[in-house]
């Protein structure tokens, strides 16, 4: 019985140690973040811009916004519909990016390094001041950067970062 108890204790200890080591190695390097942002922007170009789906989304958002003031829930519903039309490659990259919990400031700092990717997007869709602040999610921050919007003053708010 003592051997069994000792064996169980050792296994439990090893399990705890291995789990705590995994948690220590989950920190993502700056280079990995930059690579993920860049790849997400590239895939966004392929999935949404070149197919015209981004332009359709922006036009739909503009049209509905001029007819009535959209609630946050309505904006989110439009975003979810737009996301549903995207490629799996883009969605996979986007969800990996979302899992990093980048603040809007971090995202802008990294994305600004890839300004040349935004230029391709801006050529295809004209900017409208109403395109800014479409959502409080990472995707809203992503679309704000895509649309050439400045970083909002409340960019470090927790509600905007999540």
């Amino acid at each position: 019985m003592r051997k069994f108890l000792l064996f169980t204790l050792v296994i439990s200890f090893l399990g705890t140690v291995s789990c705590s080591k995994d948690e220590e190695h989950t920190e993502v390097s700056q280079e990995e973040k930059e690579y993920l942002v860049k790849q997400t922007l590239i895939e966004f170009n392929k999935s949404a811009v070149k197919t015209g789906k981004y332009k359709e989304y922006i036009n739909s958002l503009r049209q509905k916004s001029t007819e009535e003031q959209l609630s946050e829930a309505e904006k989110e519903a439009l975003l979810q519909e737009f996301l549903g039309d995207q490629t799996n490659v883009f969605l996979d990259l986007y969800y990996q990016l979302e899992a990093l919990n980048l603040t809007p400031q971090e995202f802008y700092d990294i994305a600004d390094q890839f300004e040349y990717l935004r230029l391709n997007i801006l050529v295809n869709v004209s900017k409208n001041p109403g395109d800014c602040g479409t959502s409080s999610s990472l995707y809203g921050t992503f679309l704000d950067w895509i649309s050439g919007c400045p970083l909002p003053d409340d960019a470090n708010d927790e509600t905007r970062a999540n």
Side-chain angles (χ1 to χ4, degrees):
M1 182 70 173
R2 289 182 188 175
K3 289 182 182 180
F4 178 72
L5 185 59
L6 181 62
F7 176 74
T8 305
L9 184 62
V10 169
I11 296 297
S12 298
F13 177 74
L14 290 176
T16 304
V17 169
S18 68
C19 288
S20 64
K21 287 183 180 179
D22 290 342
E23 291 173 6
E24 292 172 8
H25 297 292
T26 58
E27 184 65 31
V28 178
S29 72
Q30 186 66 22
E31 292 82 22
E32 291 171 320
K33 290 177 184 178
E34 290 171 1
Y35 178 77
L36 188 55
V37 169
K38 180 180 179 182
Q39 289 306 114
T40 305
L41 291 170
I42 289 169
E43 286 303 321
F44 182 81
N45 262 317
K46 291 177 186 176
S47 177
V49 177
K50 290 182 180 176
T51 62
K53 292 176 184 175
Y54 177 64
K55 190 172 189 174
E56 290 174 17
Y57 165 73
I58 292 298
N59 289 337
S60 174
L61 184 64
R62 286 177 186 165
Q63 180 184 9
K64 291 180 181 187
S65 294
T66 57
E67 295 170 0
E68 62 184 74
Q69 182 67 26
L70 293 176
S71 69
E72 190 67 26
E74 292 169 321
K75 289 178 184 180
E76 286 296 325
L78 285 172
L79 276 174
Q80 292 305 317
E81 182 180 327
F82 175 68
L83 280 174
D85 290 339
Q86 302 313 307
T87 64
N88 286 335
V89 174
F90 169 72
L91 292 175
D92 288 344
L93 289 167
Y94 171 72
Y95 290 126
Q96 288 176 37
L97 188 62
E98 189 175 52
L100 294 179
N101 292 323
L102 297 177
T103 65
Q105 181 67 52
E106 285 178 297
F107 179 80
Y108 268 67
D109 289 346
I110 294 170
D112 283 344
Q113 298 174 33
F114 309 109
E115 180 71 25
Y116 63 94
L117 294 172
R118 178 168 49 189
L119 295 176
N120 295 336
I121 297 166
L122 292 176
V123 166
N124 290 306
V125 180
S126 62
K127 181 186 170 209
N128 181 350
D131 298 341
C132 298
T134 57
S135 172
S136 61
S137 66
L138 170 66
Y139 202 71
T141 301
F142 183 85
L143 290 180
D144 284 352
W145 185 85
I146 294 290
S147 299
C149 300
L151 185 65
D153 293 334
D154 65 344
N156 291 321
D157 285 356
E158 284 301 313
T159 57
R160 182 104 179 134
N162 296 325

